[in-house]
Amino acid sequence: MAPLALAALATLALAAPLLAQNNNNKSRLPDIGSSAGEVLGPSQQAEYGAMTLSQLRHYGYILDDPLLEDWLQSVGHKLAANSDKPRQSFTFFLMKDRQINAFATLGGYVGTNAGLVLAATREDQVASVLAHEIAHVTQDHVLRGVERAQRDSVPILLAMLGAILVAQQAGGNSSDDASMAALSAGQALMYQRQIDYTRDNEAEADRVGMSTLSRSGYDPKAMAEFFTTLQGWVRANQGGSRERTPDYLQTHPITVTRISEAKERAATMKATNNFAAPTTANPMLPGNIRLPEASLAAAGTGQFAWAKERMRVLSANTPAEAVREYEQMRLKAPLDDAQQYGLALARLQGNQPSAAISDLDEVLKKHPNDTWIQLAMGEAEARAGKKAESDARFQRLVDRMPRNRAVVLTYAQVLGERGDAASGKKAQAILRGLASTSSDDPVYQETFARASDLAGDPIRAGEAHAEAEYLNGRPERALVQLENLKKRSDLDYYARARIDARIAQITPTVLELHRQGVKDDKVDRN
């Protein structure tokens, strides 16, 4: 986020108690700014978590990419299922920033920076951070912090947002700083100070998180391993680079003691359960018999290398910078397959599809059935004018995986780039298979809106455009679009009913944002 935007948001957060006005309209969210002692229920926590995510999208922080999101969700939900509260809902999302950071906030919303993934050398290390953040949620550390802010009459949404953004600007430790900022946000903003987790909270999150890591089949040694990596990374990056970790990280509790405790705990887990996870046990075997340690190889998704390089490209300031990054890497050692894929992706992003095809050819020969490589090649072929080859490749993927989000969305986006009605109708057809599971997916809504525009379906396009605005943190614009859509003379009964129902659902969110002092300056309210 630009410093000006951050300053504006921080100013809003500081001024929110003065801006908040009593409103006779009932909101579906509680007035927690004036209800000291009220405990938020699970549904209310989820409401605030969702609003936080949408506002982070509004300010351009979120990295919405179907392949990366599916990878992160796979890792995160496996850990969540093996946590102390497997019924707790979790939403995992990525942020573009290359600071090493992660945080947990209300409703089980867990954010991970691109920089954290780039700093990791294997998936188990990323999983160790996610497990730690999951523990902050399941052990109610987040909720307790929100309740403390609530007692100070701090508007919770703006407090969480402001502190997350402050943490992003300042940098921070993936397992400490941003989480604490999210849950003690009001005080952090109002008193302009950083609040740290207590040592007890951190120790508990380490202990509980490591148990979750082990139960999920990941290597519990990865937590101490990543702590050590962070220490070395800090020492090696004391310059003015974009990825530099701030000095105050060194005073945070990633200490020799904490690392040694994590190593000792991991060794104990290895001795007692051989890393075996309940989810990987053979149901045909007695409960006291575990799979051998070799089963750990199946714990990961097998996609970490591709994910890391894709994230390197999509988090770079420009495609040209990403290409230069790979060229510098190649000066030190030949690029491996994943890095070659990343270089191809950078060239594809930089409108060099023919060069991307050349880069991908060799990788595809080694990994002919890999979906990540197939999708990149399909996109490159389409943009290089090889329409028939691209369509054939995508159709094989869709036939094999008709409900795969990354496959369907990538093909629909390629079709949308062609700009003709036939392509729009085809994109609509393949997208409908995801409709039942994509109501809260802004990438889906934007893609479906584009397809419907091309197909000559203005009503469905208008609804999808409005939904995308809502999910991207602009609910007032969504209301305006829906109200304008209602004025169309060609609306049938069912479309009008859908639009009326959605207006009724979105209106309380807008009222709650207004109550907290958040208004969209680009909406004409006259």
Side-chain angles (χ1 to χ4, degrees):
M1 172 180 291
L4 182 61
L6 175 65
L9 184 60
T11 300
L12 265 178
L14 290 165
L18 301 175
L19 293 172
Q21 302 291 330
N22 291 329
N23 197 310
N24 293 327
N25 294 303
K26 290 185 178 180
S27 169
R28 57 184 172 142
L29 296 176
D31 186 358
I32 57 181
S34 60
S35 303
E38 180 180 352
V39 178
L40 294 176
S43 63
Q44 295 163 326
Q45 294 178 52
E47 292 279 6
Y48 276 100
M51 290 174 71
T52 301
L53 175 56
S54 70
Q55 288 299 306
L56 288 172
R57 281 199 177 101
H58 174 66
Y59 286 98
Y61 261 77
I62 301 301
L63 177 53
D64 279 317
D65 177 77
L67 278 168
L68 290 176
E69 288 166 11
D70 288 352
W71 165 73
L72 186 70
Q73 298 289 348
S74 295
V75 177
H77 285 302
K78 183 171 187 177
L79 294 164
N82 286 287
S83 72
D84 285 2
K85 293 182 180 178
R87 294 186 179 181
Q88 164 75 48
S89 175
F90 280 91
T91 300
F92 301 90
F93 58 92
L94 290 164
M95 302 183 78
K96 298 173 184 176
D97 202 284
R98 287 198 177 186
Q99 296 270 10
I100 298 178
N101 232 335
F103 59 88
T105 190
L106 284 175
Y109 281 74
V110 178
T112 303
N113 274 20
L116 187 143
V117 178
L118 295 179
T121 58
R122 57 187 181 123
E123 187 172 281
D124 299 69
Q125 294 177 353
V126 177
S128 74
V129 176
L130 294 179
H132 182 105
E133 298 302 336
I134 287 169
H136 280 312
V137 176
T138 62
Q139 305 312 115
D140 292 330
H141 298 163
V142 173
L143 186 56
R144 289 177 204 155
V146 167
E147 289 171 358
R148 286 195 295 272
Q150 180 183 337
R151 288 195 295 270
D152 292 333
S153 297
V154 176
I156 301 302
L157 174 64
L158 280 178
M160 291 190 301
L161 273 173
I164 289 169
L165 300 183
V166 167
Q168 292 295 112
Q169 285 290 315
N173 177 349
S174 60
S175 55
D176 300 316
D177 303 341
S179 294
M180 192 54 219
L183 62 87
S184 292
Q187 293 173 343
L189 284 172
M190 293 180 71
Y191 302 114
Q192 295 294 293
R193 64 182 177 87
Q194 179 70 33
I195 302 174
D196 301 325
Y197 273 130
T198 66
R199 290 184 181 275
D200 288 344
N201 281 349
E202 280 305 284
E204 184 176 37
D206 283 352
R207 174 179 56 78
V208 173
M210 192 175 290
S211 295
T212 297
L213 196 66
S214 179
R215 286 196 298 266
S216 302
Y218 284 106
D219 184 356
K221 296 194 302 292
M223 186 173 285
E225 183 180 281
F226 196 58
F227 287 165
T228 303
T229 297
L230 287 180
Q231 277 197 331
W233 199 91
V234 170
R235 297 188 191 104
N237 288 272
Q238 297 299 312
S241 70
R242 178 184 174 196
E243 298 86 357
R244 186 180 72 83
T245 302
D247 293 341
Y248 81 87
L249 175 58
Q250 298 178 64
T251 66
H252 263 66
I254 292 190
T255 61
V256 172
T257 300
R258 188 175 180 188
I259 293 172
S260 64
E261 287 176 351
K263 288 180 178 178
E264 290 172 6
R265 192 175 293 119
T268 301
M269 288 181 176
K270 180 177 180 180
T272 56
N273 66 11
N274 203 29
F275 299 156
T279 54
T280 59
N282 188 328
M284 302 301 292
L285 296 176
N288 63 336
I289 298 179
R290 301 295 183 183
L291 294 176
E293 187 171 331
S295 67
L296 281 174
T301 62
Q303 299 171 343
F304 173 72
W306 307 125
K308 180 175 180 177
E309 298 311 318
R310 187 174 184 88
M311 201 167 301
R312 189 188 306 280
V313 174
L314 298 184
S315 65
N317 287 324
T318 65
E321 283 191 18
V323 170
R324 285 195 295 272
E325 196 170 343
Y326 283 109
E327 289 172 344
Q328 292 170 359
M329 292 165 65
R330 189 155 51 187
L331 292 175
K332 299 177 182 178
L335 299 182
D336 61 27
D337 291 345
Q339 292 165 342
Q340 191 72 19
Y341 161 73
L343 175 60
L345 185 63
R347 286 176 170 160
L348 180 59
Q349 294 282 313
N351 198 28
Q352 301 176 53
S354 297
I357 290 173
S358 178
D359 291 329
L360 288 168
D361 272 332
E362 185 177 346
V363 182
L364 192 57
K365 290 175 184 175
K366 297 179 184 178
H367 307 274
N369 299 315
D370 189 277
T371 302
W372 295 60
I373 312 304
Q374 288 282 353
L375 288 175
M377 182 62 88
E379 286 186 90
E381 288 170 336
R383 292 173 188 171
K386 299 182 177 182
K387 179 179 175 181
E389 293 93 327
S390 174
D391 283 347
R393 189 179 304 278
F394 277 119
Q395 195 59 56
R396 288 193 297 269
L397 289 169
V398 170
D399 289 345
R400 193 170 84 241
M401 298 175 284
R403 298 293 183 271
N404 183 290
R405 178 170 172 263
V407 167
V408 170
L409 287 173
T410 303
Y411 190 24
Q413 288 165 354
V414 165
L415 289 168
E417 290 174 5
R418 295 178 184 170
D420 60 86
S423 296
K425 290 177 180 177
K426 187 171 184 178
Q428 270 189 319
I430 64 171
L431 285 166
R432 287 195 176 101
L434 298 181
S436 62
T437 59
S438 301
S439 61
D440 60 350
D441 181 354
V443 178
Y444 174 87
Q445 298 295 347
E446 290 165 356
T447 307
F448 190 77
R450 169 64 174 165
S452 299
D453 279 329
L454 293 175
D457 189 349
I459 295 172
R460 288 292 187 182
E463 290 179 88
H465 279 302
E467 202 62 36
E469 292 280 31
Y470 174 79
L471 294 169
N472 283 316
R474 299 181 286 269
E476 285 192 80
R477 298 184 210 181
L479 280 183
V480 170
Q481 291 195 12
L482 290 172
E483 290 290 355
N484 288 335
L485 200 57
K486 276 182 61 176
K487 297 175 184 177
R488 292 185 63 96
S489 60
D490 55 348
L491 280 185
D492 61 25
Y493 170 82
Y494 298 102
R496 190 173 297 278
R498 285 196 312 270
I499 293 168
D500 283 336
R502 195 61 185 129
I503 288 173
Q505 290 170 334
I506 292 175
T507 298
T509 301
V510 174
L511 293 175
E512 172 64 12
L513 289 171
H514 285 185
R515 189 188 66 79
Q516 297 211 25
V518 179
K519 293 186 178 181
D520 192 328
D521 293 335
K522 294 186 178 180
V523 173
D524 184 0
R525 298 180 183 84
N526 295 325

